Amino acid sequence: MASLQKDVNEQNKGLSYNTELPATGWYKDRIVEELDTLLGMGDFKVETGAFSGICHQPPDARVDVVTTVYSKAAYTNPLNPDAYPGIRKMEAEVVRMTGSLFHGGPEMCGTMTS
């Protein structure tokens, strides 16, 4: 356990943990700065292509598509399909496509969750 603690402390690079909510909310610039710091903590850089199996750096065009789509749908609620019938339709399509990949028959069913 001491070895694990040592490794984690080294990876934290002297940064302290935020253990309480701030007295006032952070503005966008502060949030982005914090995220940039946290994402920069690792020694492995996906961008170099030297790190495989866990993550990858997608092409910029794919990042643009995913960012746009996520920003439009991030605050929908699939648990309320009457309010978001389009999200229900997308879920049904993804479930069917996935089922088809595994040779699911006409009676296959499923759901998605986060």
Side-chain angles (χ1 to χ4, degrees):
M1 187 60 115
S3 175
L4 174 62
Q5 184 65 44
K6 180 180 179 287
D7 289 347
V8 170
N9 287 338
E10 287 175 4
Q11 286 180 332
N12 283 346
K13 301 182 191 249
L15 296 174
S16 61
Y17 283 88
N18 296 311
T19 59
E20 296 179 7
L21 290 172
T24 57
W26 289 357
Y27 290 99
K28 178 184 175 182
D29 290 345
R30 177 67 181 95
I31 295 168
V32 171
E33 177 186 334
E34 178 76 4
L35 180 60
D36 286 344
T37 298
L38 296 173
L39 292 176
M41 288 173 62
D43 294 327
F44 297 102
K45 302 299 178 200
V46 175
E47 303 83 19
T48 66
F51 193 54
S52 66
I54 297 175
C55 55
H56 65 283
Q57 182 66 34
D60 289 343
R62 187 176 311 147
V63 171
D64 181 54
V65 170
V66 171
T67 302
T68 300
V69 170
Y70 183 79
S71 69
K72 290 176 177 269
Y75 295 100
T76 61
N77 185 350
L79 296 176
N80 192 344
D82 291 334
Y84 300 99
I87 301 298
R88 174 182 50 217
K89 181 180 179 296
M90 285 190 290
E91 176 185 33
E93 291 168 344
V94 169
V95 167
R96 174 54 59 188
M97 289 175 195
T98 304
S100 293
L101 288 171
F102 291 97
H103 309 289
E107 299 299 317
M108 71 124 260
C109 62
T111 187
M112 292 171 30
T113 186
S114 59

